[in-house]
Amino acid sequence: MAQSMSSFIVFAFLGLASVTFSHKIGGGSYGGNGGGGYYLYPQFYDHSCPRAQEIVKYVVAKAFAKEARIAASLLRLHFHDCFVKGCDGSILLDSSGTLASEKRSNPNRNSARGFEVIDEIKSALEKECPQTVSCADILAIAARDSTVITGGPSWEVPLGRRDSRGASLSGSNNDIPAPNNTFQTILTKFKRQGLDIVDLVALSGSHTIGNSRCTSFRQRLYNQSGNAQPDPSLDPSYAAELRKRCPRSGGDQNLFFLDFVSPIKFDNYYFKNLLAAKGLLNSDEVLLTKNLQSAELVKTYAENSELFFEQFAKSMVKMGNITPLTGSRGEIRKNCRKVNRK
């Protein structure tokens, strides 16, 4: 069923290539000054590589037809890239010499995926227009296309990021919000990036698609507060269902839908699930239980998917503008997994 649904969505996605989506963010100011007065803007490749976005869209659609889960994986890569040293493609670098890859960090090890799709996009773009489109921009476009192909909003992606020549394993370990972080810790990590509580709740809505591993929420089922008791904010019948495949020990890598109602459709059921005490991760449920402002936003987005879609698109543009490298800073990698040889 999931396979046939994904094939249908791909057909619709490719067929709508020339249609203006109803949730586009038009006009306005595109931030992202990376130094030296350079700004990101959606038309950056219009002359140097006019088919760039079309190529990204095609490869994403092809990958999605093979495996619907890839959309959430690509969206997550962009998020995990931007939260460490800004949106600079650093998450894509493999370890080499003195460079310690961010892929080895706790948030990414055994869970970050979709690198082969980025490689395929980069290879196609290098044939079309060599050393022109950055890996950081590929991540940003692929994240937008992954949202659209699963039924979510679209937006114009500001472009012109350049690629880093380094990575930060410690930054990846410390700056990316973790499933078991407190609400205040998560909000602090967002604020460090120039994002606010509205962005936090809206971007958490990306958990309407994708999966999480047993190891990421096990404590909620068995020992939430160190008292050998489950999380009282988790619906007991839902918890019992989760325990069947997430035992006290073992099964760490077993996968569970973040939104069990519509796991491959980008919609607002994530927020409806939170209201029913059926959010999978602790970092999901605390949006409702630990802060009045975030709880109100959860209720608003659960009632109004258009408002959620509109804010999600705005927050994605804002996140994509976190300290990009522009102008002569950084480089345009030939291979997203390694820095260019000098």
Side-chain angles (χ1 to χ4, degrees), residues 34-39 44 160-162 324-332:
Y38 294 94
Y39 282 82
F44 188 84
R161 300 167 191 81
R162 288 167 66 83
L325 298 172
T326 58
S328 60
R329 300 170 69 208
E331 64 181 18
I332 305 297

Side-chain angles (χ1 to χ4, degrees), residues 27-282:
S29 156
Y30 295 97
N33 185 348
Y38 294 94
Y39 282 82
L40 306 180
Y41 56 100
Q43 301 80 19
F44 188 84
Y45 296 111
D46 280 8
H47 298 294
S48 60
C49 194
R51 291 186 62 236
Q53 297 201 50
E54 177 190 336
I55 288 167
V56 177
K57 178 182 283 191
Y58 173 78
V59 178
V60 168
K62 192 171 72 161
F64 183 77
K66 289 181 188 171
E67 183 201 35
R69 181 188 171 200
I70 198 65
S73 301
L74 293 172
L75 188 52
R76 186 170 182 256
L77 276 185
H78 182 46
F79 173 68
H80 282 209
D81 182 42
C82 290
F83 264 63
V84 183
K85 294 168 61 287
C87 310
D88 61 1
S90 60
I91 191 174
L92 303 173
L93 290 171
D94 290 336
S95 293
S96 65
T98 58
L99 192 152
S101 175
E102 293 170 18
K103 297 174 185 179
R104 292 163 45 192
S105 71
N106 291 328
N108 294 328
R109 191 173 58 248
N110 297 325
S111 65
R113 59 195 300 278
F115 299 107
E116 295 79 7
V117 178
I118 301 300
D119 290 342
E120 186 177 345
I121 294 169
K122 182 60 173 170
S123 177
L125 286 170
E126 284 300 300
K127 286 175 186 162
E128 179 76 14
C129 31
Q131 225 171 331
T132 302
V133 182
S134 69
C135 301
D137 276 346
I138 290 171
L139 285 172
I141 300 167
R144 187 271 312 276
D145 290 350
S146 294
T147 303
V148 173
I149 204 169
T150 48
S154 186
W155 59 92
E156 286 194 305
V157 180
L159 299 166
R161 300 167 191 81
R162 288 167 66 83
D163 299 321
S164 70
R165 294 192 181 98
S168 177
L169 180 58
S170 61
S172 188
N173 276 319
N174 297 324
D175 296 339
I176 296 172
N180 57 352
N181 280 162
T182 65
F183 176 84
Q184 195 53 51
T185 298
I186 296 167
L187 182 58
T188 298
K189 288 181 177 181
F190 268 74
K191 284 184 173 178
R192 263 192 229 141
Q193 308 295 344
L195 302 173
D196 59 27
I197 195 167
V198 178
D199 301 312
L200 164 57
V201 178
L203 292 172
S204 294
S206 63
H207 286 179
T208 179
I209 56 174
N211 302 267
S212 186
R213 298 171 297 156
C214 165
T215 186
S216 297
F217 61 87
R218 176 184 280 122
Q219 87 284 351
R220 297 192 75 200
L221 303 180
Y222 302 103
N223 191 23
Q224 174 69 355
S225 304
N227 58 359
Q229 295 298 312
D231 186 344
S233 70
L234 186 62
D235 177 81
S237 62
Y238 181 50
E241 194 64 32
L242 294 172
R243 282 190 204 99
K244 291 178 183 176
R245 290 183 49 246
C246 186
R248 284 180 186 273
S249 62
D252 285 6
Q253 306 302 318
N254 290 351
L255 292 174
F256 295 77
F257 292 130
L258 286 159
D259 168 7
F260 69 94
V261 178
S262 54
I264 63 166
K265 187 172 190 302
F266 198 103
D267 55 27
N268 66 337
Y269 262 101
Y270 165 80
F271 298 105
K272 294 179 181 180
N273 293 341
L274 293 187
L275 295 179
K278 293 179 179 178
L280 184 64
L281 305 178
N282 184 71

Side-chain angles (χ1 to χ4, degrees), residues 89 246 314 323 337:
C246 186
K314 288 178 181 174
T323 56
R337 293 177 183 255

Side-chain angles (χ1 to χ4, degrees), residues 300-316:
T300 298
Y301 297 152
E303 291 167 5
N304 191 325
S305 62
E306 282 197 15
L307 270 182
F308 164 49
F309 277 25
E310 183 182 341
Q311 185 56 54
F312 183 81
K314 288 178 181 174
S315 294
M316 284 295 289

